[in-house]
Amino acid sequence: MNIKIAILDSDINYLERLSGVFQQYDELSVSVFTKKDTLEQAMEQNTFQIILFHPDISESQMVFGAGVMPICLCDDETKNRKLYPHAAVIQKYQRISNIYKEILKCYAEYADDNGMDFFQEGSAKAIAVYSPIGGSGKTTIALAVARKLHRMNKRVLFLSTEQFNSSSLHFPVQEEGITRLIEVLGGNSNFQLTLKGILKENESGLLYIEGFSRLVDYEDVSCEEIETVINKIRQCDVCDYMIIDTGSSLDKITKTVLETADKIVLVQRNSEHADIKMKFFDTQVWVKEQKERMYVVKNFAEQNKKGYELPQLQAVGVVHNYGNILSNDLLSYIEQENGIHIQSLL
């Protein structure tokens, strides 16, 4: 199902640029108009869900029918904004991709989830990356897996469910991401539209949703909410693979993520202290129940130093100890040396 949107503006060149980009999005069915009268005639014969218009297109107020959401497309010189006090407002001269996302955010709050499926149902695979050992390089391995999949032309979504998001260097936190999706579960906003509106892309081309930015938000989340968010994202056909970077503490949220994921990548670091933690982790009854979905990546690997061997787990990677180098350089080394055998995770 497409969202039918009518765009009204007197600037023909701007209309062409705007509609040209909008038509690349499968969710939108776009019609453009340069005169108020022409749009009003079209509204008599067509049903539009959204009217995106410049308020100065007419000195008189436009009237919109039931079920239509008006959005004012304003610039710094707009004069007639006061004619539409209840309409949403979007800044006109900005990146068109941002305008698209703002439209979805506005419409997600206007619409609801009552039978509104805008996206083809998908079946994205969720791969959770976990380690009971702090400083194991878990986030780096999660990034390496995501980048490997992306280079295979897979649509990859990176999601952090850590208490304190350690991936913010690669995925800047600018606004609420996962917290907003959790809020939608208990409200009237459309989940799928909200998701599309908050998705971001980093410089490597990976899609991501901002992780938790406040500890209180993390503590307020229930197991049911985090499981529902992951499963709803799977169904929205925005990605082929979801890489979930988890916290090192095996708390209720992390356990729920691991139980919900299709596969679990366990990151192991070779050291005496790490071996003690890994042995204890391996004795947990819950862990034994998940082993059929677990794989191990040995990080900071050094010659002549084997470390604790996790029984019944397939090793899908060995990453050498490169010392203290920049994160992007480390990721490049991992890719060049084929440190992670991604085919085993597909």
Side-chain angles (χ1 to χ4, degrees), residues 258-259 264 285-294:
L258 298 181
E259 289 171 350
I264 301 166
V285 173
W286 177 86
V287 172
K288 298 182 185 300
E289 295 172 349
Q290 312 301 320
K291 278 197 170 180
E292 62 181 18
R293 296 183 292 113
M294 281 187 179

Side-chain angles (χ1 to χ4, degrees), residues 142-159:
L143 285 164
V145 170
R147 285 171 50 139
K148 278 249 183 186
L149 288 167
H150 181 64
R151 289 180 181 275
M152 294 171 63
N153 295 318
K154 305 295 184 182
R155 296 175 301 162
V156 183
L157 172 63
F158 191 96
L159 175 64

Side-chain angles (χ1 to χ4, degrees), residues 197-260:
I198 67 173
L199 275 181
K200 290 185 170 56
E201 184 176 317
N202 77 346
E203 59 184 14
S204 299
L206 294 172
L207 295 173
Y208 72 98
I209 299 169
E210 285 98 335
F212 294 101
S213 57
R214 297 179 295 269
L215 181 59
V216 65
D217 293 332
Y218 183 90
E219 293 175 340
D220 284 346
V221 176
S222 70
C223 298
E224 292 77 13
E225 287 172 331
I226 201 72
E227 180 181 1
T228 302
V229 164
I230 292 171
N231 286 330
K232 276 183 168 285
I233 292 174
R234 291 181 198 266
Q235 298 169 2
C236 290
D237 196 34
V238 298
C239 62
D240 301 311
Y241 288 91
M242 188 181 351
I243 307 303
I244 308 175
D245 185 22
T246 65
S248 293
S249 173
L250 197 58
D251 58 14
K252 63 177 184 178
I253 298 303
T254 300
K255 285 183 68 174
T256 299
V257 172
L258 298 181
E259 289 171 350
T260 307

